[in-house]
Amino acid sequence: MCRLFGLIANKEVDIKFSMLKASNNFKSQAKNNPHGWGIGYYKNSKPVVEKHGESAFYSNRFDELVKEVKSKIFIAHVRYASSGSAYSDKNAHPFVFKNWIFAHNGTINKERILKLLKLPYNKNFTSEPIDSEIYFRYVIQCIEENSDIYEGIKLAVNEVVRDSSGANFLLSDGEKLYAFRLGKELYYLLRDPTLLNVISNETKALIESKAPTNEKAILISSEKLTVGESWKKIEDGYLLICDENLKFEEVKICP
């Protein structure tokens, strides 16, 4: 099943509220996705990932990490194993390749996609490898062979979705955040202090605290984290592209 969380902001922010305090906070979603957790972010423009093969719901380290870290971009994941060993540090998401961070929700035909990988994308896997890391490597291979992020993602997902039961992913190069939906729910939210009149009491104090510094962010999640905010569903087959200026577009890239 797995759950995804992503955030891109106009300045460095923390994710304590989304991870620990929201009514449907990300940690609570780990109760039914117990096979590992991970958080990826960028520090000095370099990707950093910490992940563990344990349930975030019972992890003290999860709480510590989300209280420590600030970044403009986050990708977080809680895992329900459908490929590879459960409770494995190396099979937990996100995954890193060069400057890319990636996390996946679903199951793909890893044997078929593995055969499509070329050097160096088919070597030095950090997982067993599981289907999600193979999917990631194929996306990056297509991006780099086409020298175009959008066209590479489009090519990759149209190949992968031929026989997958869920191809949702979050991907970042440290400058933009990409979210693709196919087969599983995925939502996004523009959180802006100027929109106080449309938010619930649950998030009003949070947003008001960010207003003086003009913090704004786009959040992406497998489930709506809060009640009363304007969460929007990403449609099946669509790619959401977001930048740190909070500009975003939704583009249909596969049937």
Side-chain angles (χ1 to χ4, degrees), residues 178-210:
Y178 301 86
F180 175 68
R181 179 196 168 197
L182 192 92
K184 308 289 183 181
E185 297 291 283
L186 199 59
Y187 300 88
Y188 71 96
L189 168 72
L190 172 61
R191 183 169 282 160
D192 185 334
T194 65
L195 303 179
L196 287 173
N197 61 319
V198 297
I199 64 173
S200 66
N201 289 334
E202 178 188 1
T203 55
K204 188 172 183 178
L206 170 75
I207 306 301
E208 287 178 334
S209 71
K210 296 181 180 298

Side-chain angles (χ1 to χ4, degrees), residues 7 12 26 38 60 64 66 69 72 99-100 111 118 120 129 150 157 162 170 177 199 206 209 231 233 235 245 251 253:
L7 177 146
E12 289 192 345
F26 198 64
N60 291 330
E64 292 169 355
V66 300
V69 178
K72 287 185 177 181
N99 212 51
W100 297 92
E111 289 79 13
K118 307 169 187 175
Y150 170 78
V157 299
R162 287 168 44 193
L170 295 177
L177 181 62
I199 64 173
L206 170 75
S209 71
W231 290 91
K233 183 184 290 186
E235 297 300 323
N245 296 315
V251 186
I253 62 172

